[in-house]
Amino acid sequence: MRKAVVKEWYGGDCEAVEHYIEHFNNIIDQNVDKDKAKEVFSLKPKAIIVPHAGWMYSGFTANFAYRIASNVNYKRAVVIGPSHKFPLKDISTTLHSFYETPCGNLQIDTNFAKELIEKFEVQNLEMIHQEHSTEVQMPFIYHYFKNLPVVELVYGDYDPLKLKNIIEYSIEDNSLVVISTDLSHYYDLNTANTLDYNCLEAVTELDLEKINKCEACGKIGVIAMIIAATELGLTPFIVDYRTSADLSGDESNVVGYMSAIFI
């Protein structure tokens, strides 16, 4: 079992998780035009980019992308996030049988994980799989997809071109690819917006030059996704952007959050 290690980031128990998601969706339903919502929520993403802070700050932004993706029948979700605790140059997957979430356990697709190990020299470094960037995605996946198997990939200073190959292989096998990243950290709001808009434009335009001006802890994943989207002919859409100031009111020291879909 891949045990959950940051449950408090998404409420701690199933009741809190469900309350969060109900709250996020109520905000959407009350503020998005019904005809527009019908159009948006009929889209069929091949991949999404979502943030990974505590849900009180970034959960709404992440939920928007998961809700759009929830009308697609995927074979699995491949969740890709940067390592925050352990320095490494590789990428690792867990081979545990199940992934713990507050509302129920997700089966881990160990057969596909082993394929990635064999085809792309992915490592199996179980000790590093205590990573919040991937874990905070799993309760969303359980809520929206219930029995969908998952694969967790945690990377360090890894070559984006190698990660691009894993992303393309996963998408071509009908996986939902989940790229986890937050944006700029601890700037004033105006500076954060300026830096973050470089990230938004880089994703929207699939522009690798603009991504150089983007600050993101999962930047390698975003670069790999941009390359994969270009090669696969996917079209990106930003579905939400905000900062921690939207909740805290503190505009002096903010973190940026983005969600995007690729269709």
CSV table of all heavy atoms in Angstrom, one decimal, residues 158-165 167 219-221 223-225 227:
chain,number,residue,atom,x,y,z
A,158,TYR,N,15.3,15.7,-14.2
A,158,TYR,CA,15.1,14.7,-15.2
A,158,TYR,C,15.0,15.3,-16.6
A,158,TYR,O,14.5,16.5,-16.7
A,158,TYR,CB,13.8,13.9,-14.9
A,158,TYR,CG,13.6,12.6,-15.7
A,158,TYR,CD1,14.5,11.6,-15.6
A,158,TYR,CD2,12.5,12.5,-16.5
A,158,TYR,CE1,14.3,10.4,-16.4
A,158,TYR,CE2,12.3,11.4,-17.2
A,158,TYR,CZ,13.2,10.3,-17.2
A,158,TYR,OH,13.0,9.2,-17.9
A,159,ASP,N,15.5,14.7,-17.6
A,159,ASP,CA,15.5,15.2,-18.9
A,159,ASP,C,14.0,15.3,-19.5
A,159,ASP,O,13.3,14.3,-19.6
A,159,ASP,CB,16.3,14.3,-19.9
A,159,ASP,CG,16.4,14.8,-21.3
A,159,ASP,OD1,15.7,15.8,-21.7
A,159,ASP,OD2,17.3,14.3,-22.0
A,160,PRO,N,13.5,16.5,-19.8
A,160,PRO,CA,12.2,16.7,-20.3
A,160,PRO,C,11.9,15.8,-21.5
A,160,PRO,O,10.8,15.4,-21.8
A,160,PRO,CB,12.0,18.2,-20.6
A,160,PRO,CG,13.1,18.8,-19.8
A,160,PRO,CD,14.2,17.8,-19.7
A,161,LEU,N,12.9,15.6,-22.4
A,161,LEU,CA,12.7,14.8,-23.6
A,161,LEU,C,12.4,13.3,-23.2
A,161,LEU,O,11.7,12.7,-23.9
A,161,LEU,CB,13.9,14.9,-24.5
A,161,LEU,CG,14.1,16.3,-25.1
A,161,LEU,CD1,15.4,16.3,-25.9
A,161,LEU,CD2,13.0,16.6,-26.0
A,162,LYS,N,13.1,12.9,-22.2
A,162,LYS,CA,12.8,11.5,-21.7
A,162,LYS,C,11.4,11.4,-21.1
A,162,LYS,O,10.6,10.5,-21.4
A,162,LYS,CB,13.8,11.1,-20.7
A,162,LYS,CG,15.2,10.8,-21.2
A,162,LYS,CD,16.1,10.3,-20.1
A,162,LYS,CE,17.5,10.1,-20.7
A,162,LYS,NZ,18.4,9.6,-19.6
A,163,LEU,N,11.0,12.4,-20.4
A,163,LEU,CA,9.6,12.5,-19.8
A,163,LEU,C,8.6,12.6,-20.9
A,163,LEU,O,7.5,12.0,-20.8
A,163,LEU,CB,9.5,13.6,-18.8
A,163,LEU,CG,8.2,13.7,-18.1
A,163,LEU,CD1,7.8,12.4,-17.4
A,163,LEU,CD2,8.3,14.9,-17.0
A,164,LYS,N,8.9,13.4,-21.9
A,164,LYS,CA,8.0,13.5,-23.1
A,164,LYS,C,7.7,12.2,-23.7
A,164,LYS,O,6.5,11.9,-24.1
A,164,LYS,CB,8.7,14.4,-24.1
A,164,LYS,CG,7.9,14.6,-25.4
A,164,LYS,CD,8.3,13.6,-26.5
A,164,LYS,CE,9.7,13.8,-27.0
A,164,LYS,NZ,10.0,12.9,-28.1
A,165,ASN,N,8.7,11.3,-23.8
A,165,ASN,CA,8.4,10.0,-24.4
A,165,ASN,C,7.5,9.2,-23.5
A,165,ASN,O,6.6,8.4,-24.0
A,165,ASN,CB,9.7,9.2,-24.5
A,165,ASN,CG,10.6,9.8,-25.6
A,165,ASN,OD1,10.2,10.5,-26.5
A,165,ASN,ND2,11.9,9.7,-25.4
A,167,ILE,N,5.2,10.5,-21.5
A,167,ILE,CA,3.8,11.1,-21.7
A,167,ILE,C,3.2,10.6,-22.9
A,167,ILE,O,2.0,10.2,-22.9
A,167,ILE,CB,4.0,12.6,-21.6
A,167,ILE,CG1,4.4,13.1,-20.2
A,167,ILE,CG2,2.7,13.3,-22.1
A,167,ILE,CD1,4.8,14.6,-20.2
A,219,LYS,N,8.3,22.5,-13.5
A,219,LYS,CA,8.5,23.0,-14.8
A,219,LYS,C,9.0,22.0,-15.8
A,219,LYS,O,8.6,22.0,-17.0
A,219,LYS,CB,9.6,24.1,-14.7
A,219,LYS,CG,9.9,24.9,-16.0
A,219,LYS,CD,10.8,26.1,-15.6
A,219,LYS,CE,11.2,26.9,-16.9
A,219,LYS,NZ,12.0,28.0,-16.5
A,220,ILE,N,9.7,21.0,-15.4
A,220,ILE,CA,10.2,19.9,-16.2
A,220,ILE,C,9.0,19.2,-16.8
A,220,ILE,O,8.9,18.9,-18.0
A,220,ILE,CB,11.1,19.0,-15.5
A,220,ILE,CG1,12.5,19.6,-15.3
A,220,ILE,CG2,11.3,17.6,-16.3
A,220,ILE,CD1,13.4,18.9,-14.3
A,221,GLY,N,8.0,18.9,-16.0
A,221,GLY,CA,6.8,18.3,-16.4
A,221,GLY,C,6.0,19.1,-17.4
A,221,GLY,O,5.5,18.6,-18.4
A,223,ILE,N,7.3,21.5,-19.5
A,223,ILE,CA,8.1,21.4,-20.7
A,223,ILE,C,7.8,20.2,-21.5
A,223,ILE,O,7.6,20.2,-22.7
A,223,ILE,CB,9.6,21.6,-20.4
A,223,ILE,CG1,9.9,23.0,-19.8
A,223,ILE,CG2,10.4,21.3,-21.7
A,223,ILE,CD1,11.3,23.2,-19.3
A,224,ALA,N,7.9,19.0,-20.8
A,224,ALA,CA,7.7,17.7,-21.4
A,224,ALA,C,6.3,17.7,-22.0
A,224,ALA,O,6.1,17.2,-23.1
A,224,ALA,CB,7.9,16.6,-20.4
A,225,MET,N,5.3,18.2,-21.3
A,225,MET,CA,3.9,18.2,-21.8
A,225,MET,C,3.8,19.1,-23.0
A,225,MET,O,3.0,18.7,-24.0
A,225,MET,CB,3.0,18.7,-20.7
A,225,MET,CG,1.5,18.5,-21.0
A,225,MET,SD,1.0,16.8,-21.2
A,225,MET,CE,0.3,16.8,-22.9
A,227,ILE,N,6.1,19.7,-25.3
A,227,ILE,CA,6.7,19.0,-26.4
A,227,ILE,C,5.8,17.9,-26.9
A,227,ILE,O,5.5,17.7,-28.1
A,227,ILE,CB,8.1,18.5,-26.0
A,227,ILE,CG1,9.0,19.6,-25.6
A,227,ILE,CG2,8.7,17.7,-27.2
A,227,ILE,CD1,10.3,19.2,-25.0
